Amino acid sequence: MKRPVRSPAPAAPQRLLARFPVSAALLRRLALASIIANVGIVVTGGAVRLTASGLGCPTWPRCTDASYVATSEMGVHGAIEFGNRLLTFAVGIIAAAVVLAVLLHRPRRPGLLPLAVAVLFGIPAQAVIGGFTVLSNLNPWVVGLHFLASMVVIAAAYALWRRIKDPDAPAVPVVPAPLRALTLLTTLASAAVLVVGTWVTGSGPHAGDQGAKRNGLDPETISQVHADGVFLLIGLSVALIFAFRAVGARRAERAAVVLVAVELGQGLIGFVQYFTHLPAVLVGAHMLGSCLVLLAMLSVLWSTRERRPLPAEPTAATPAAEPVPATA
């Protein structure tokens, strides 16, 4: 008599992962925490520059040639710069927790892991770019790249958060192709506004250190180019509201309304800071606003498609009932 064939026992790592399942609710909270943490590191990084602490730690990866940490002789600027470096580890820990949670989540959703890993590896990449900003004595072009890289990491973290909320199904367009093209055009316009905004910052007074050079662009001219881009972006965003309303895409319409509101608030801060000679507090608020505009734009882009659960397949064909013979 043959013995029944037993299926091979799962590997030890798989057994360990199976013992600590992570719910979808916890996974969403961790992904949201990752978004908040990455926005926070942008704001604190801006505080480093706005307090002229960009070279508080004059080298990288050490804080000084002899120490990895700030010393009392370095004063408040060293403490601010070193504190921002420490926050990078906190953001990385949250990203690592998200990756682990994705691995522990059941049922396994393969589309989540690449996004979680992208966010995790984006953080050390950010740290390396930050190191180049220090080694280049706060070159304004490298500083701008540092900010834009943060925007990419935030976008990946947002995509992960939304992907967790959506069912595991193919994305289906909910608006016509011309409106999806208009949404993409608006997204590109928002990206262009962010890029030109870094040029404006690189031409202004907040260099991060008194000895740091500027990018050589005329501040008034490049600020006008940035303002023109903002006007174009707001115009396109308003057009999205009416276009989505015309086709009955209510969710997309609401997302576009939020986008316009955030853009108007960001534009107001921008104009006030320009005419008040760029006070540090408003410049910091403007950096936070840039992150919010990005998130609002991504929300609009995401709302043009939906992931709908696939219909359940029939388990078995039900035989047709035989007709009941008529009685005389």
Side-chain angles (χ1 to χ4, degrees), residues 75-265:
V76 65
H77 295 306
I80 293 174
E81 164 65 5
F82 181 68
N84 187 64
R85 293 187 183 187
L86 286 180
L87 285 177
T88 302
F89 289 99
V91 177
I93 290 172
I94 294 174
V98 173
V99 172
L100 180 60
V102 168
L103 293 173
L104 293 173
H105 179 59
R106 294 294 183 274
R108 178 69 60 83
R109 298 180 59 183
L112 301 182
L113 187 58
L115 287 171
V117 171
V119 174
L120 177 61
F121 281 92
I123 293 167
Q126 268 290 76
V128 171
I129 298 174
F132 279 115
T133 64
V134 174
L135 297 177
S136 64
N137 292 320
L138 305 182
N139 182 292
W141 301 106
V142 182
V143 173
L145 177 63
H146 192 42
F147 173 79
L148 294 175
S150 294
M151 298 296 102
V152 174
V153 175
I154 291 173
Y158 179 85
L160 174 62
W161 178 67
R162 290 299 298 259
R163 190 67 183 84
I164 294 169
K165 294 180 63 177
D166 291 342
D168 196 12
V172 179
V174 296
V175 298
L179 293 191
R180 297 200 301 275
L182 179 60
T183 305
L184 180 59
L185 178 62
T186 308
T187 304
L188 294 176
S190 67
V193 167
L194 287 175
V195 172
V196 177
T198 64
W199 301 349
V200 175
T201 301
S203 69
H206 298 292
D209 186 80
Q210 294 180 353
K213 62 181 181 179
R214 302 284 71 204
N215 59 20
L217 299 175
D218 178 61
E220 185 173 349
T221 301
I222 197 63
S223 294
Q224 184 61 56
V225 173
H226 183 58
D228 293 341
V230 170
F231 287 135
L232 173 63
L233 176 59
I234 293 176
L236 290 171
S237 302
V238 171
L240 283 177
I241 295 177
F242 290 100
F244 290 149
R245 180 177 299 175
V247 298
R250 298 304 179 191
R251 189 167 69 96
E253 179 190 346
R254 289 192 297 269
V257 169
V258 172
L259 173 62
V260 171
V262 174
E263 289 170 348
L264 291 175

Side-chain angles (χ1 to χ4, degrees), residues 10-22 103-104 106 108:
Q14 295 180 352
R15 293 199 304 268
L16 181 63
L17 294 177
R19 291 182 59 185
F20 303 98
V22 170
L103 293 173
L104 293 173
R106 294 294 183 274
R108 178 69 60 83

